[in-house]
Structures are given as structure tokens and as C-alpha cells.
């Protein structure tokens, strides 16, 4: 209700100024808020992960202590049992090494292998052997000799070497923090001293099972702990920047080192076990390893404890990694791990106290008598074995001393010292800062965890310093700045589709905020829209104008700007370019929006060429000028191109602000966001893709989850098709290898990947062969990804990055779209498979197994028509009870019939017939669906091949949908997808193959090009010739008499001006003439153009000679009103170049000539200067300018008083829809400035005067007509000449290409036909032979588990196909589970660090001269600038 009232209040405010206060409000224009459910989910996930870390660590540590206690020589277990538990301890040590070996071997075999430096590997393996020796001696030899409490405490000493290295390298930024490792070292040494003292007291006080041999074990235990502490040597060494060359080299072959070291560690573990127990102790009886039926309890206890220790150690490691990645380091990682030791102790005490009565503890008054009573329980089966042995182990401490128990405090102090020493050594974990998404290798030094010391190993393994390269623009040590170019290609989009993409861009502008301010995500961006086929030609006059699509786009920009800011666009520039034209906008927060208007007569049309156009412009040209600023031609007017405005404020125009920042940003951190002209997305979606490229340097592209939008059955089919494709297929590609296609409607590309060899250069190849037309132009996004993969780049998929795009809603449009996609997909996949061997060598993400997986999927797609035909045959068999052979014959007749139709009929007829056949197939599939269910009911079981397949498919899709809660409703469209399978996989495949020779897009085709555009209310259109000048006059309003007078006055002045300078060398005269104040009117548009015979061939040097030193329009820098809002443009406040044709012509004042299309475009933006719009613009401009100054009262007073000033100046002089003239603008600006000055002086806020003046000036500024720099114009001319010249093929070449395409079509159809026929024929003959001869008998089971007397007979071929398809789906399902987990991690980490839409207070010094721009640190102010 409050929202309704707010909108109503805003509408009433607009209604007071105009009779047309109604406006659009696109969905998503409101500010994105942090949703409470997401916050709650974030907290719940963090709490769950923290609990899992604590629980798994406690179980891991507790089960290890249990195994050591059960294997102790002093336990009550038999020698056979102790021998078995010792073996379980060996397995506990080996298990992490086995996991590391398998993972590293996989990476070496299928990912990458770098030549090994033997010297480095020998050193690393030597350290690993020492660590393994210390771990195995400590766990297998020492810990079984100690009691459970000593074993719990002694492990804290493994941090001693890390503390020593921290002290040696002085890793602390603040000097006082060295106290932490010093305290750690002192505490650990104190703990070791207390350990020796405690055992001395035990021996001297005659505690049971304690003799002088324990001193040896204490010494060995301390030494073993020192060896184990060598495990984490790399962490402080890396943080100290020592041995960087060795560590960098090690990264290349670390996987191979892990393979060797894990084997060596396993060998040493086995050697220690055999040497100690077989040679020294001689306690191994080999026959005891043969466990009989009587040893089931022993086997069960040992294996359960072992698996619990091994699995929970791995789980603790994994959940610890997750906790770090979701930004819950303190509460979900450091705190649970630090509390693991005390939690185990506390849990043990609770168990001891609560279960003591079961051990007859309540009958004894002292601990000594209680411990003595435990000896009699060894032969009884009345108590749990584990509890008994742990209790007896506690009784081996000083608590059971017959003389005094105070020495038990030594053990307690030892535990406290060890625990505190461990905490102080790992203090840095509490302060570590991680990025939103981190690689595990960036969080932890070693990939291996120590299962025996899981809590200590995770904390000690956490990197002290996350080392990353950063550029000069990065405000944060942990993140690199990047520049993102959003590039949308448009081709005949509707108004609503344009509204979606523009709204998304303005949302991103609001999310990013002022580009001069720092942002949490550390990025800058520009928006570029490339409009194909932007111009049309009037038949009557031959005038080139923008077409209706461009007009709609301009209206959408104005409308969206008005929705986001409640005012019109402030800074608009219009440029003519070699490829057509360009419109430049400064979005509300200061980011740039460019609209490139392509003329198909000047530059190549269609999407791929638009992509080449912006890739060369943004990566080639802009990258060149920022790396070679000295090559930019100096501007003729240094003051206008300066960075210092006349009011003394330093500034950079927004478009060059980004270019300046890019000087410090590498190509690796320059990203291209490819968009379609109808894509709708949130800023979150883009940032999640940026995270993927920012964190993984080998990722060349990343795509998001594409959601088709629209209404109707075709859209419903596509919704489920897209969902299944993303849920299963894309996730499987991402997990097992690399995504093959990053769709051009929403994909982020890395600049350096696109600039790599054989990528962008090859992407410019013009198709000349039939196969090239199919692969290059029918699916350009897939071909670009193929080029990236072949060069070794990885393409990823992020399921949380959602984008919405219009999908075909008509059957014909859908078939034409897939007619392009199908052959292109097959061609690019076959190209990748053909170069599979070379791609595997170059691309670490693609293995031979992944190539095999793709071969299997390609084979399945090729056999798709035959499989669908056989499925239809089964439907005939189920529904009509037709024999199998007959049903197969009937099922293949419609596809053959449709194939003949496709060869003989026109495409529209083919599509119409396909639509009719699709309806009949849908009825048949519906009947088949219910008949299958009926058959299962009839047989009384679903445990049949068909039934199991159908049920498992349904369950799998249901579970998959549940794991995508925001997309769960997609499951509703599953039935629509099922009944349309014959249309999508049979008829569509035939249509795509047979029509492969048609290379037109078939979607968004305009029915008739609008080449005629009548100007509204045009009364007169004449061209007058006088001397060497041509004048074109258009009268566009109803007051004819006044118009004619104004035209005559203009002609007279033009004649005088021309005669006054007869010998002047001027190439072009101003295109518009503004009359004296009394005769001015916005209702006349004059175009004066000097026509000379040599005009079209005049060189650029002659043009340069005619430029004036005061010319302000030689380059994009000329718009000093942009962003700086300086007062340099007083001569052209209303956007019209006001030139008086008098003696001042001698000063060579030139105004940029322009084409016919410029004036209509300019007129659309001049509407901001109407009386009604101006008042609203002024109010919002003042509020926006003073938004962070904490002067709300002054701001509202300014708004009210300046609005009254506008009303007083204009109310009785102009109508609400009239555009103000130059003189009116000048008078109004003076009045507003004076009024603002008085108000600010009254409120003693003179320091805000410059800001208010700039706000007034931005309100009154009109669109500027500019031109490109000579350097950029030369770039475009050469680019078009080299790559983008419009293709004009001869008829002979077209005929040759058509012939080749038809030949290729025939080959593809023949191949498909033969393979599918072979599959159908094989199935047919198996059916003809009969199930009794060739079949596989499968036992038939009922749902209750009982077996039927009858058995199921299945054909081998059908069963093989069914099983292979089921295996494929199962593999994809498992990949989806893995991908969902890491998507959840990414989303939670994003929600914990996303931006709040809060205005940031600016503390600027408004007094004095600001001569430094913080962005341009190297700025030098010259006398020319001042």
C-alpha cells in the first residue's frame, strides 16, 4: 500500500507540469534489496558448516584416541585384538595418502604434466619422508604406550617448527605481534617439560603400568612431534617471500611430487609398523590376521572405528574448506577447530561421569578403589569395550596414585600449555581475509591433511598470506581491479525487449555507483550497444534516416533514464562514424553508455561481424591507445581537451576515465560481456561470472543460466528443455571437462583469451566453403568457444548467474532457430573431436575420458531419430497391441514421408506439415505414457526395464528440480516436453539436416524494410542554390507565414556571410543557422552545406588546416559539459551550434557538418528543454548534486525557489511542451544562478555554489554533435577495409556456394540416414527372430520383493541402449550434485559480501583550487591548460 501511495505522489507531481504524466516502470527498475530468506539461509549454512566441522573433528580425534587405547599393550584386549587395532591405525595413516595419490595421479594423467626438477623434488620428498617417519612413530609406537589424556595433549606440540619460522622470518606486520609465536614456542616447550615431569612423578609414585621405560617414549614422542611439525614448513616460507623461485617452480609439478611423496609416505608407514612390531617387539602373529566367525565383534568394532576416523577426517577437511569459501572463517572454521581438543575432553568427562555406574563406580568412594575394580571386568561382557578401555587408560594417570593426586595438575597444565601454544601459533587464521570465491590451493598450502591431527593440520595448513598479483587500481590487497565492457548486439528487437536490456544496464550503473569511488567488487564498466541495420532511405527524397528500431531505442533510453532518475538524460553526444553513427550517454551514476548505429551499406551486417567490430575496437584500439598514449594526436584546443575546468576543478570525461584506469589493468583483467539485445539480468549475475574469471586464470569464458521467457506451448517446451540442458548437460561438461558452448546472449569472456593466437584473428575468417558457412555463421558463439578450447582455455558454467532472454514463441520461428543451431553444434563438436588429441595436450581441462564422453553424446544425438522412431513403435505396440515388427514398419513411414516433403517442398510448407505431424505425435505420446503406466499396473510391478527406466527418470528429474528450488516449477513443463519429443528429436532433426543449405537466420526477419519515413507536419522541403552554397529548408510546423519570414531572413544572412568571405578556403559550412534573437525559433531546421566538386576526395590534412584554435568539437574530448559540467560551452547551450554569419567568419569558426539523420535524432533529445521537463530535471538535478552533503533543508529550499524562478520566467511565455530558445535558455540560466547564489549566501553555504551552478548547467545543456578523433576515424576506416567491408558476392559465387551447401547437405543426410536405418533394421530383425531365440531373461520381482515365476525377456540391443542411456543420465546426475554444492558455496559467499545500496558520504573540500585528479596520478598542468 505504501508503494502505491508513493507512486501516486510522484505521478501527481508530474501531473502539475504536463498533461501526459504517465510513464512506464519496467520490472526490476527498483533497487535490489537483500532478501531476508537469503540472509537466513546464509546464517543457517554457516551454522551448519561450523557444526559439521566441530562434530567431524571431534569424532576424528576421538576415534583415533580410541584406537590408540585399544591397541595399547596395557589394555585388557587379547594380543590378537591389539594386533588388529594396530593394523587399523596403519590404515588410518595410509588413507589420506591414498586419496592424495589418486587425485594427483588423475591430474597428472588427464590434466597436465610439467617436467620435474629432480633436485627440488628430492628435497620435498626428503621432508615428506621425515614427516611420515615422525607421524608413524608417534602414532604407532609412542601413543599406544601413553594414556588417553596424554595422547590428547601431546599432539599440540606439532606447531613448534611453524612458531620458530614465524619468529625467524618476522612475518608480523606489527612488531608487537611477534609475541604470539614467542608465546607459542614458550608454551609448547613448557608443555614438553611438564610432560616429562608428570611421567617422573608417575614413576616415583608407583602408578600402575608406569616404569622407567616411559622416559624413552617421552623423548621419542617429543622428537617425533618435531618431525611432524616440519609438515607445514612451506606456509611461513611462502609468507616471507623466501624461496619464491623454488615454490613457483614447484607449483608446476606439485601433482607429480604428491604422487611420489604419497607412495614414499605409505612405504615408510609400513616400514615403521613392520620394524617395530615384527622385528623389535616381535608381537605380530601372522595367523591372527585370519579372522574367523568368532571374531565378528572384533571386526565390526575395528572397521567401524577406522571408517569413522577416516571418513570424518576427510569430512572435516572438506567442511573446513567450505567454511573458508563462504566467508565464515572465524565462526565456522577457526572457532570449531580451536575448540576440538576441549570438546573431546569435555565429552569424555561427560561419558565417564554418566556411564561410571555401569562400571560399578557408584560403589566405590575413591578413584583408586574404582580403578582397582576395573581389573575384574576384563572377563565380563557387561560393559562396552571402548568405555572400559578409556576408563582404564585414565586410571594410568596420577589420579590413581596411592600416595598423592596433586601431580595430576601437571597433566592438566601440560594440556593447557599445549592448547594455548597451538592457539597463539595459529592466531593469524582469525585475521585472514579471503575473497568471495577462493581456490583451495589459495587457501591452504598443502592438499594433504593429517588425519591424526585434523584440527591442528587444518589451522597450520591455512595460508598466512594469500599471495596474488594486484594492479595499481586495486584498493584491496586481495583483489584485482578489472574493466568490463558490456556489448549487446541488436537485430530488430521490440520495444519491450530493448527495455529489458537497458533496464539491466542501468541497474548495473546503480550497483556500481560513481566510477570515481571504490567499490566492493572492484570493477569499472562501459555499456556498448551495436544496432544492426540502423538506417533507411526515403524513396521520395533519397534522404538517409534512422529507422523505426533506432527511434524505439532512443525512446527506451529516455524512458529508462526517466524511471531511474525522474529526469531526462543529461549528457548526450551524437557522432558520425565511418560505420554509421554513434550516440553517447552518461548514465545517472557517471558510467558510459554507447549506442553504435551500423549502416549495412558501410559495414558488414549480423552478429558475428558486430562482435568482431567491438572486439577490435575495445581490445585492439582501446588497448593500443592506453598502452601508447604518446601516439594520440594532440588536440587543437588544449583548453577544451584539458583535465582542468575553468572553475578550477580537476576532471576526466567518463569515457576517458575508464581508458585511464585501463593503463594499469592487464588484458587478463579486461572482460567482454557478450549480450543479446533482449537479455535481462541483475548485477549479481554479472559479478558471479566475474568471480569465476578473476579466480581461475585459465578460464577464458563463463556463462550463466539462461531462462527463456514468453508465453505459449513452444515457450513451455523450451523452458523444460533449457532447464534439463543446464541442470544436467552443462553441469556435467563443467565438472568433467569444459563447457563447449557459452551462449552469446549472456557470456563473459577474458580479453587475453580472445586476443590469443588462432582465436580472434581466425574468428574474422570470411566463410567461403560450405562447411564454413555452417560452422562459422550459423552458431558463432559455439565456434568462438571451440577456438578458445583448442587454444587451451577453459569455459565454465555458473548456475547462480541467471539471465532471461526472449525465446521463439511461434512454431516456425522455433524451427528456423534450431535449423541454425543443430548443424552448427554438430559441426563444432566434430571439429573439436577431430582435433581431440591436440586439444588434450593444450587444454588441461579436457581429458581423453572427456573426449570419449563427448563422442558418446554425439553418437546418441546422431541416433536420436532412430531411437525416437523405436520409441514410437513401442507406443504403437502398447496402445494398439500391434506386433513389434509391424509397429516398427509403421513408425518409420512418417519420418520417411517427412524427409521427402523436406526435399521437395518449400520451407514454410515443411514447417506447416511438421506442425500437423507434431500434434498427432503428441496424442500418440500421451496415449503411450498412460499405456505404459497401465502395463505396469497390469503386470503388478514396475520392476521391468521400461518401468524402471520411466520411474527412475521421473524420480531423477524430481530430485533435480528439488535441488533447484527457484526453478522447481519447471518440472510442470516436463509433460509438455515428453509429448513433444518426436517433434523435437525426429522432425526437427530431419528439417535441420535437409535445410542445411539455407544459411539465413530465419528469426527476427523483417517482413518489409521500411524505406519510407514521412516527417510529421512537414509543409515545405526545398533546396535553394546561391553562389557556391546550397541551402535546404524544411518547415515542420503550422505557422506558415512566420516560417517563410524566418526562411527568408536565414537566406539573406547566408548570402551575406558567403559574399563576405569569397576567397576563404572552407571545406564545409555550418549545418545549422541560428537566427537573431527576435527571429529565433526551434521550429526551423536549416542545413547549409558547401558543395564542391572535390569535396568527397578532400584529404584530411586540408580539413585539419581549416580547424580553429577555438574549435571545441574536434574530438570526443570536446564535450566539456560531460561529467565536468564546466562553463566552456556557453556558445552552444541548447545543443545547436550558434554561429553568426558576419565578419567573425574570418576567425575560421567551424561547426561540425553532419548527415541528414542527425537532426531527427537530435530533436528527440531536445525535448528535455521543454518547460515541463525542465522543471522536473532541475529539481532532480539539484537533489542528486547535493545528495551526500547532509543539507536537506538547503536542498529543498533550493528546489522550491529555483522551481519558482523557472515558473516566473517561463509560465506566460511558453507552453508546457515548447522547447526553449537560445535566448530563453541564457536568460533562464542567469536568473537561476543568481537565485541560487542568493539562497546559498543567506544560508552561508557559498561552498556549494559551484555544485549548484553545474547542476543548473547540466539541466540546460542540449545534445552535442561531435566527431571522432582522426586516430579513431583512421582505425575504423582500416578495420572496415581489412575485415568488415560489406560482402558483395557475384551471382556465380552464390551459385557455387549453394551447390556446395546442397552437396554437404546430401552427405550429412545420407550419413544420418544410413546410421539410423542400421539401428532400426537391427532392432527389426531382432524382433522378427523373436524373444525366444535371442533375448536376455531377467527375473521378475514384485514391489514387495517376492519373485515371480515368469521372467522378463529383453532384446540385447534394446537393453544395451537403455543401460547406456541410463549410465549417461546417472553420470550427469552425479555431476549435477557436485556442481550444486559448489554453486551453493558461491551464492552464500556472494550474499555475505554483496553491496548495500547506501549513499556514501563525500568529504570534499569545496574551497580552493583542486589541481590533482586521484585517477590520473601523473597529471601535469601546463600553461596552455590554465
Amino acid at each position: 500500500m505504501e508503494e502505491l501511495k508513493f507512486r501516486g505522489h510522484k505521478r501527481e507531481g508530474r501531473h502539475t507540469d504536463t498533461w501526459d504524466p504517465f510513464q512506464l516502470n519496467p520490472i526490476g527498475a527498483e533497487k535490489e534489496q537483500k532478501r531476508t530468506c537469503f540472509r537466513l539461509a546464509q546464517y543457517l549454512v554457516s551454522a551448519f558448516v561450523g557444526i559439521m566441522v566441530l562434530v567431524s573433528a571431534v569424532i576424528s580425534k576421538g576415534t583415533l584416541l580410541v584406537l590408540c587405547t585399544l591397541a595399547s599393550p596395557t589394555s585388557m584386549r587379547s594380543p590378537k585384538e591389539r594386533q588388529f587395532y594396530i593394523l587399523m591405525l596403519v590404515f588410518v595413516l595410509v588413507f589420506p595418502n591414498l586419496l592424495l595419490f589418486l587425485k594427483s595421479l588423475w591430474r597428472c594423467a588427464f590434466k597436465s604434466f610439467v617436467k620435474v626438477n629432480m633436485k627440488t623434488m628430492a628435497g620435498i620428498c626428503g621432508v615428506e619422508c621425515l614427516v611420515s617417519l615422525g607421524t608413524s612413530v608417534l602414532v604407532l609406537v609412542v601413543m599406544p604406550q601413553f594414556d588417553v589424556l596424554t595422547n590428547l595433549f601431546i599432539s599440540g606440540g606439532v606447531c613448534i617448527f611453524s612458531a620458530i619460522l614465524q619468529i625467524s622470518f618476522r612475518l608480523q606486520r606489527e612488531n608487537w605481534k611477534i609475541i604470539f609465536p614467542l608465546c607459542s614456542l614458550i608454551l609448547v616447550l613448557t608443555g614438553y617439560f611438564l610432560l616429562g615431569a608428570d611421567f617422573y612423578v608417575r614413576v616415583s609414585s608407583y602408578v600402575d603400568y608406569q616404569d622407567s621405560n616411559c622416559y624413552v617414549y617421552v623423548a621419542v614422542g617429543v622428537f617425533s612431534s618435531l618431525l611432524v611439525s616440519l609438515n607445514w614448513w612451506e606456509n611461513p616460507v611462502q609468507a616471507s617471500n623466501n624461496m619464491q623461485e623454488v615454490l613457483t617452480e614447484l607449483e608446476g609439478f606439485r601433482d607429480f611430487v604428491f604422487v611420489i611423496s604419497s607412495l614414499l609416505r605409505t612405504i615408510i608407514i609400513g616400514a615403521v609398523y613392520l620394524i617395530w612390531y615384527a622385528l623389535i617387539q616381535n608381537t605380530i602373529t601372522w595367523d591372527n590376521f585370519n579372522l574367523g566367525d568368532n571374531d565378528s565383534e572384533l571386526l565390526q568394532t575395528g572397521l567401524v572405528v577406522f571408517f569413522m576416523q577416516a571418513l570424518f577426517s576427510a569430512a572435516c577437511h572438506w567442511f573446513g574448506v567450505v567454511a573458508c569459501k563462504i566467508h565464515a572463517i572465524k565462526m565456522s572454521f577457526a572457532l570449531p577447530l580451536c575448540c576440538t581438543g576441549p570438546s573431546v575432553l569435555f565429552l569424555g568427562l561427560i561419558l565417564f561421569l554418566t556411564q561410571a555406574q555401569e562400571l560399578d563406580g557408584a560403589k566405590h568412594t575413591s578413584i583408586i578403589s574404582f580403578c582397582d575394580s576395573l581389573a575384574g571386568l576384563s572377563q565380563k561382557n557387561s560393559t562396552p569395550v571402548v568405555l572400559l578401555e578409556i576408563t582404564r587408560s585414565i586410571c594410568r594417570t596420577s589420579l590413581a596414585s596411592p600416595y598423592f593426586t596433586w601431580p595430576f595438575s601437571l597433566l592438566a597444565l601440560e594440556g593447557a600449555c599445549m592448547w594455548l601454544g597451538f592457539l597463539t601459533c595459529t592466531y593469524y587464521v582469525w585475521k585472514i581475509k579471503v575473497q568471495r570465491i577462493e581456490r583451495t590451493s589459495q587457501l591452504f598450502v598443502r592438499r594433504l591433511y593429517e588425519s591424526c591431527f585434523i584440527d591442528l593440520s587444518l589451522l597450520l595448513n591455512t595460508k598466512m598470506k594469500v599471495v596474488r598479483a594486484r594492479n595499481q587500481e586495486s584498493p584491496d590487497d586481495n583483489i584485482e581491479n578489472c574493466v568490463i565492457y558490456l556489448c549487446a548486439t541488436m537485430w530488430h528487437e521490440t520495444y519491450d525487449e530493448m527495455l529489458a536490456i537497458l533496464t539491466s544496464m542501468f541497474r548495473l550503473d546503480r550497483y556500481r555507483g560513481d566510477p570515481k569511488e571504490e567499490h566492493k567488487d572492484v570493477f569499472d564498466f562501459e555499456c556498448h550497444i551495436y544496432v544492426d541495420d540502423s538506417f533507411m532511405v526515403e524513396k521520395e527524397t533519397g534522404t538517409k534516416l534512422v529507422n523505426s528500431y533506432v527511434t524505439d531505442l532512443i525512446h527506451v533510453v529516455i524512458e529508462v533514464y526517466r524511471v531511474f532518475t525522474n529526469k531526462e538524460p543529461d549528457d548526450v553526444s551524437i557522432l558520425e562514424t565511418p560505420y554509421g553513427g554513434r550516440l553517447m550517454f552518461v548514465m545517472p551514476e557517471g558510467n558510459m553508455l554507447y549506442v553504435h548505429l551500423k549502416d549495412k551499406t558501410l559495414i558488414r551486417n549480423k552478429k558475428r561481424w558486430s562482435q568482431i567490430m567491438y572486439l577490435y575496437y575495445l581490445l585492439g584500439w582501446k588497448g593500443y591507445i592506453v598502452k601508447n598514449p604518446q601516439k594520440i594526436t594532440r588536440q587543437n584546443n588544449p583548453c577544451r581537451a584539458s583535465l582542468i575546468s575553468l572553475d578550477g576543478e580537476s576532471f576526466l570525461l567518463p569515457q576517458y576515465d575508464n581508458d585511464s584506469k585501463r593503463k594499469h589493468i592487464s588484458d587478463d583483467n579486461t572482460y567482454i560481456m557478450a549480450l543479446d539485445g533482449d537479455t535481462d539480468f541483475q548485477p549479481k549475475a554479472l559479478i558471479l561470472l566475474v568471480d569465476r574469471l578473476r579466480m581461475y586464470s585459465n578460464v577464458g569464458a563463463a556463462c550463466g543460466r539462461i531462462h527463456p521467457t514468453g508465453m505459449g506451448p513452444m515457450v513451455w517446451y523450451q523452458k523444460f528443455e533449457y532447464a534439463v540442458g543446464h541442470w544436467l548437460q552443462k553441469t556435467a561438461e563443467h565438472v568433467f571437462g569444459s563447457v563447449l558452448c557459452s551462449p552469446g546472449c549472456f557470456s563473459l569472456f577474458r580479453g587475453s583469451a580472445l586476443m590469443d593466437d588462432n582465436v580472434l584473428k581466425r574468428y574474422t575468417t570470411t566463410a567461403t566453403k560450405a562447411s564454413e558457412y555452417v560452422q562459422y555463421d550459423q552458431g558463432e558463439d559455439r565456434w568462438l568457444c571451440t577456438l578458445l578450447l583448442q587454444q587451451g582455455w577453459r569455459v565454465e558454467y555458473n548456475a547462480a548467474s541467471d539471465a532471461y532472454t526472449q525465446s521463439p514463441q511461434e512454431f516456425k520461428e522455433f524451427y528456423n532457430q534450431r535449423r541454425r543451431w543443430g548443424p552448427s553444434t554438430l559441426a563444432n563438436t566434430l571439429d573439436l573431436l577431430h582435433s581431440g588429441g591436440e586439444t588434450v595436450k593444450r587444454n588441461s581441462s579436457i581429458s581423453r575420458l572427456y573426449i570419449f564422453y563427448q563422442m558418446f553424446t554425439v553418437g546418441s544425438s546422431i541416433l536420436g531419430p532412430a531411437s525416437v522412431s523405436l520409441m514410437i513403435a513401442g507406443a504403437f505396440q502398447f496402445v494398439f497391441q500391434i506386433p513389434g515388427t509391424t509397429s516398427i514398419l509403421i513408425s518409420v513411414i512418417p519420418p520417411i514421408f517427412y524427409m521427402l516433403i523436406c526435399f521437395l517442398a518449400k520451407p514454410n510448407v515443411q514447417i506447416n506439415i511438421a506442425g500437423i505431424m507434431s500434434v498427432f505425435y503428441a496424442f500418440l505420446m500421451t496415449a503411450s505414457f498412460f499405456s505404459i503406466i497401465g502395463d505396469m499396473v497390469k503386470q503388478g510391478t514396475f520392476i521391468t526395464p521400461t518401468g524402471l527406466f520411466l520411474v527412475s527418470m521421473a524420480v531423477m528429474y524430481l530430485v533435480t528440480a528439488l535441488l533447484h528450488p527457484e526453478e522447481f516449477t519447471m518440472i510442470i513443463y516436463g509433460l509438455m516436453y515428453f509429448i513433444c519429443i518426436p517433434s523435437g528429436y525426429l522432425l526437427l532433426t530431419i528439417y535441420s539436416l535437409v535445410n542445411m543449405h539455407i544459411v539465413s537466420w530465419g528469426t527476427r526477419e523483417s517482413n518489409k524494410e521500411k524505406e519510407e519515413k514521412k516527417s510529421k507536419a512537414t509543409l515545405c522541403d526545398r533546396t535553394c542554390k546561391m553562389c557556391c552554397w546550397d541551402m535546404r529548408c524544411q518547415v515542420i510546423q503550422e505557422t506558415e507565414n512566420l516560417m517563410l519570414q524566418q526562411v527568408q531572413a536565414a537566406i539573406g544572412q547566408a548570402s551575406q556571410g558567403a559574399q563576405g568571405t569569397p576567397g576563404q578556403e572552407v571545406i564545409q559550412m555550418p549545418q545549422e543557422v541560428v537566427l537573431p534573437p527576435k527571429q529565433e525559433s526551434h521550429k526551423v531546421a536549416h542545413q547549409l552545406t558547401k558543395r564542391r566538386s572535390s569535396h568527397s576526395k578532400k584529404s584530411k590534412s586540408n580539413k585539419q588546416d581549416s580547424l580553429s584554435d577555438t574549435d571545441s568539437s574536434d574530438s570526443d574530448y570536446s564535450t566539456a559539459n560531460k561529467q565536468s559540467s564546466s562553463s566552456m560551452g556557453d556558445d552552444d547551450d541548447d545543443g545547436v551550434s550558434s554561429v553568426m554569419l558576419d565578419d567573425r567568419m574570418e576567425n575560421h569558426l567551424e561547426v561540425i557538418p553532419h548527415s541528414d539523420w542527425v537532426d531527427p535524432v537530435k530533436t528527440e533529445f531536445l525535448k528535455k528543454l521543454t518547460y515541463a521537463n525542465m522543471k522536473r530535471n532541475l529539481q532532480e538535478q539539484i537533489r542528486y548534486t547535493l545528495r551526500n552533503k547532509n543539507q536537506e533543508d538547503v536542498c529543498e529550499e533550493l528546489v522550491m525557489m529555483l522551481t519558482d524562478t523557472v515558473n516566473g520566467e517561463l509560465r506566460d511565455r511558453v507552453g508546457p511542451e515548447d522547447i526553449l530558445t537560445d535566448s530563453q535558455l541564457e536568460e533562464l540560466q542567469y536568473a537561476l544562478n543568481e537565485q541560487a547564489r542568493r539562497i546559498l549566501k543567506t544560508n552561508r553555504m557559498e561552498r556549494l555554489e559551484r555544485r549548484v551552478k553545474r547542476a543548473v548547467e547540466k539541466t540546460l545543456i542540449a545534445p552535442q554533435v561531435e566527431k571522432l578523433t582522426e586516430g579513431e576515424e583512421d582505425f575504423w576506416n582500416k578495420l572496415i577495409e581489412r575485415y568488415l567491408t560489406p560482402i558483395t558476392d557475384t551471382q556465380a559465387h552464390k551459385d557455387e556456394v549453394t551447390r556446395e551447401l546442397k552437396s554437404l547437405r546430401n552427405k550429412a543426410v545420407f550419413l544420418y540416414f544410413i546410421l539410423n536405418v542400421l539401428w532400426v533394421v537391427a532392432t527389426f530383425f531382432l524382433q522378427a527372430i523373436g524373444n525366444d531365440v535371442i533375448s536376455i531373461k531377467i527375473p521378475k520381482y514384485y514391489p514387495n520383493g517376492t519373485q515371480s515365476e515368469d521372467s522378463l525377456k529383453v532384446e540385447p540391443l534394446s537393453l544395451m541402449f537403455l543401460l547406456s542411456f541410463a549410465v549417461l543420465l546417472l553420470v550427469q546426475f552425479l555431476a549435477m550434485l557436485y556442481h550444486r554444492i559448489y554453486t551453493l558455496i558461491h551464492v552464500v559467499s556472494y550474499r555475505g559480501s554483496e553491496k548495500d545500496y547506501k549513499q556514501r558520504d563525500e568529504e570534499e573540500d569545496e574551497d580552493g583550487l583542486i589541481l590533482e585528479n586521484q585517477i590520473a596520478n601523473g597529471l601535469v598542468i601546463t600553461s596552455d591548460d590554465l
Side-chain angles (χ1 to χ4, degrees), residues 705-708 716-733 797 853 953 956-958 960-961 964 967 970-975 977-978 981 985 1365 1369 1372-1373 1376:
R705 166 71 165 96
I706 309 302
H707 300 263
W716 301 339
Y717 172 85
Q718 291 173 86
K719 282 180 179 291
F720 190 79
E721 181 193 32
Y722 273 67
V724 172
H726 286 87
W727 291 350
L728 298 175
Q729 185 176 347
K730 257 191 169 46
T731 54
E733 290 179 351
Y797 163 62
Y853 166 79
M953 284 275 291
M956 187 187 69
Y957 282 135
L958 182 62
T960 303
H964 297 76
E967 305 173 34
M970 296 296 106
I971 200 72
I972 299 173
Y973 306 114
L975 183 60
Y977 179 82
F978 175 78
I981 285 177
Y985 291 89
F1365 191 70
L1369 287 177
Q1372 292 180 345
F1373 182 75
M1376 182 272 302

Side-chain angles (χ1 to χ4, degrees), residues 1013-1117:
K1013 182 176 179 181
K1014 299 286 186 180
S1015 299
K1016 294 182 179 180
T1018 301
L1019 304 176
C1020 176
D1021 191 354
R1022 295 288 184 271
T1023 300
C1024 304
K1025 295 184 178 180
M1026 299 184 65
C1027 298
C1028 58
W1029 300 100
D1030 286 354
M1031 172 183 291
R1032 183 182 176 194
C1033 303
Q1034 273 191 338
V1035 182
I1036 56 175
Q1037 296 292 334
E1038 289 113 7
T1039 36
E1040 278 184 80
N1041 294 332
L1042 179 60
M1043 290 291 112
L1044 293 174
Q1045 293 175 8
Q1046 292 172 344
V1047 170
Q1048 292 172 1
I1051 293 173
Q1053 288 193 11
S1055 301
Q1056 294 173 9
Q1059 293 171 1
T1061 57
Q1064 181 179 344
E1065 286 297 321
V1066 180
I1067 296 174
Q1068 291 181 322
M1069 276 291 290
Q1071 76 281 12
E1072 297 192 7
V1073 177
V1074 179
L1075 303 171
K1078 294 182 180 180
Q1079 297 178 342
E1080 283 179 347
S1081 174
H1082 65 282
K1083 304 172 184 178
V1084 181
H1086 295 279
Q1087 297 183 353
L1088 264 62
T1089 307
K1090 181 179 179 181
R1091 303 188 183 275
R1092 293 179 178 267
S1093 59
S1094 61
H1095 166 68
S1096 62
K1097 298 182 179 180
K1098 186 68 74 175
S1099 65
K1100 293 180 181 178
S1101 60
N1102 292 336
K1103 291 184 182 181
Q1104 184 69 27
D1105 294 338
S1106 68
L1107 296 176
S1108 166
D1109 287 341
T1110 59
D1111 176 27
S1112 64
S1113 305
D1114 188 60
S1115 70
D1116 292 345
Y1117 286 94

Side-chain angles (χ1 to χ4, degrees), residues 1294-1352:
K1294 292 180 180 178
D1295 295 339
E1296 178 65 19
V1297 170
T1298 302
R1299 187 188 63 79
E1300 291 183 3
L1301 284 169
K1302 288 185 177 180
S1303 175
L1304 178 65
R1305 183 268 312 268
N1306 295 336
K1307 294 176 183 176
V1309 171
F1310 179 76
L1311 177 63
Y1312 257 80
F1313 182 78
I1314 289 298
L1315 293 176
N1316 284 273
V1317 165
L1318 289 175
W1319 182 258
V1320 173
V1321 168
T1323 307
F1324 175 82
F1325 279 109
L1326 286 175
Q1327 285 279 357
I1329 293 172
N1331 290 339
D1332 295 332
V1333 180
I1334 301 178
S1335 64
I1336 297 176
K1337 294 183 179 180
I1338 301 176
K1340 180 179 177 181
Y1341 289 92
Y1342 293 106
N1344 58 8
T1346 60
Q1347 183 176 355
S1348 173
E1349 296 179 358
D1350 300 329
S1351 59
L1352 298 171

Side-chain angles (χ1 to χ4, degrees), residues 356-373:
Q357 56 184 356
E358 296 187 15
L359 302 175
D360 298 331
K363 301 177 182 179
H364 304 279
T365 58
S366 67
I367 186 67
I368 298 175
S369 60
F370 172 71
C371 290
D372 292 337
S373 69

Side-chain angles (χ1 to χ4, degrees), residues 1288-1295:
T1288 53
D1289 292 331
T1290 62
Q1291 187 60 39
H1293 178 72
K1294 292 180 180 178
D1295 295 339

